[in-house]
Amino acid sequence: GNMIENIEKDAFKNLSMLFTIDLSSNKLKEIKPFFFQGLNSLKNLILRGNGINKISGYSFYKKNVISIDLSENFLITVEKAAYINLELI
C-alpha cells in the first residue's frame, strides 16, 4: 500500500474509464458519501486491509460494481443506504 489515509472529494472525477481500483493495504478508516463519484465504469473495488470501520450512506451510489473486497477491515458501522442503487453486487 501507499499509506493513503484520506481521499479528497472528486479525486476520481476524471477517471470515468477506470475498471479496477486497488486501494488495499492503506490507512483508510471510512468510506464517505459519494467517495467513488466519477468512476462510471468501475467494476472491481479492492479495499482489503485498510482498517475501515465505517461505510457511510451513498458510498457506492449508482455504481455498477461487480466485486468489492472489504476483507481484513474492522467494519463496525454500515449506514443505511450505503449500497443504494448498487445494481449488480
Side-chain angles (χ1 to χ4, degrees):
N2 294 311
M3 301 304 171
I4 297 169
E5 294 181 16
N6 188 35
I7 296 176
E8 298 296 320
K9 182 181 177 189
D10 296 327
F12 303 111
K13 182 178 174 181
N14 297 314
L15 300 172
S16 64
M17 298 305 292
L18 221 69
F19 290 105
T20 299
I21 291 185
D22 185 347
L23 291 169
S24 60
S25 301
N26 282 290
K27 293 187 174 190
L28 297 171
K29 300 293 180 214
E30 178 181 353
I31 304 301
K32 297 178 182 176
F34 307 103
F35 204 64
F36 301 102
Q37 190 168 5
L39 294 169
N40 301 326
S41 299
L42 187 65
K43 300 293 180 206
N44 304 296
L45 179 57
I46 306 164
L47 297 167
R48 176 181 52 245
N50 272 285
I52 295 168
N53 58 37
K54 180 180 179 182
I55 299 176
S56 298
Y58 299 95
S59 293
F60 302 107
Y61 185 69
K62 290 192 175 182
K63 293 293 156 231
N64 291 316
V65 177
I66 295 170
S67 172
I68 300 174
D69 182 353
L70 286 164
S71 62
E72 300 176 35
N73 283 290
F74 304 103
L75 283 174
I76 297 170
T77 304
V78 178
E79 289 185 357
K80 187 175 183 177
Y83 298 97
I84 196 166
N85 289 336
L86 193 58
E87 297 174 9
L88 298 173
I89 198 156

